[in-house]
Amino acid sequence: MNRRTMTVVEAAEYLGVCKDTIYTMVRTNEIPHFRLRRRIFFSQETIDAWINEQEQNLMQESEAM
């Protein structure tokens, strides 16, 4: 079985940021996540879609300038 969820540490490694950044982004709802009781998880598919959305927004902003 292929696991498709990531922990905070795994998401931080995947995105190349420190885990404190991930916790801050979760607290301010900047990154899609879900909780299972007190633990925070991320779906890799959702994170990949979120990354693509961030890139699209950046390109649209640069085109508008």
Side-chain angles (χ1 to χ4, degrees), residues 26-48:
V26 165
R27 194 170 32 258
T28 58
N29 284 320
E30 291 181 67
I31 190 169
H33 65 282
F34 64 95
R35 291 181 183 264
L36 199 63
R37 298 199 177 206
R38 297 188 70 171
R39 296 192 60 195
I40 301 166
F41 292 97
F42 305 87
S43 161
Q44 185 170 345
E45 289 177 9
T46 304
I47 293 298
D48 289 339

Side-chain angles (χ1 to χ4, degrees), residues 2 4 6 18 22 25 33 36-37 46 48 53 57 64:
N2 190 7
R4 298 180 346 184
M6 296 183 279
C18 69
I22 298 294
M25 293 176 79
H33 65 282
L36 199 63
R37 298 199 177 206
T46 304
D48 289 339
E53 180 182 321
N57 290 342

